[in-house]
Amino acid sequence: MKWIIAYVGAAISFGALDAIWLRWAGPNFYRPAIGELMADSFRVGPAAIFYLLYIAGIVWFAIRPGLENGLPAAALNGALLGALCYATYDMTNQATLKVWPTYITIADICWGAFATSVAATVATFLVHKLG
């Protein structure tokens, strides 16, 4: 049961944060900088696969250690995982695309670290309280 609580808690908290970020950042941050690279419409399939896998990664790499070592471990591991995953995407884009501003890379890495850390911490807290 604790793994279900961990997964659902991380999914809800990360999903809510990312929805807020993307609703603002899409038109105000990304489109002005990389608009010609963006799809005309949102593609649900790839997004769903990303979220399903990424939440599983949060559970394994951040929440699981957090359950053993406390909320600070969940927060730190979440931040490290988020920064690493978002850096992989952004640094690859910066290395291979003609248009990928450095400020997008920096903002995305910071966002990934923050959102993943919060999701891991919230989910770990919920498992301690409900599991």
Side-chain angles (χ1 to χ4, degrees):
M1 186 64 168
K2 72 179 178 180
W3 301 116
I4 294 170
I5 295 168
Y7 192 94
V8 171
I12 291 170
S13 55
F14 186 82
L17 287 170
D18 219 31
I20 292 166
W21 168 253
L22 291 173
R23 282 203 177 116
W24 175 84
N28 298 302
F29 188 64
Y30 296 117
R31 191 153 305 275
I34 58 168
E36 66 272 11
L37 298 175
M38 294 179 68
D40 292 332
S41 62
F42 180 74
R43 295 183 188 130
V44 175
I49 292 168
F50 164 75
Y51 284 107
L52 289 170
L53 294 173
Y54 193 66
I55 299 305
I58 294 172
V59 170
W60 183 260
F61 293 110
I63 297 169
R64 186 178 55 84
L67 293 174
E68 296 170 8
N69 301 307
L71 292 178
L76 176 62
N77 286 320
L80 292 172
L81 175 67
L84 178 63
C85 290
Y86 279 64
T88 300
Y89 172 78
D90 282 279
M91 297 303 285
T92 299
N93 286 342
Q94 200 164 7
T96 60
L97 300 177
K98 286 183 182 180
V99 177
W100 194 268
T102 301
Y103 70 87
I104 295 281
T105 296
I106 293 167
D108 274 354
I109 292 169
C110 291
W111 173 252
F114 170 77
T116 307
S117 179
V118 169
T121 304
V122 166
T124 302
F125 176 80
L126 289 173
V127 172
H128 282 303
K129 291 297 178 190
L130 304 174

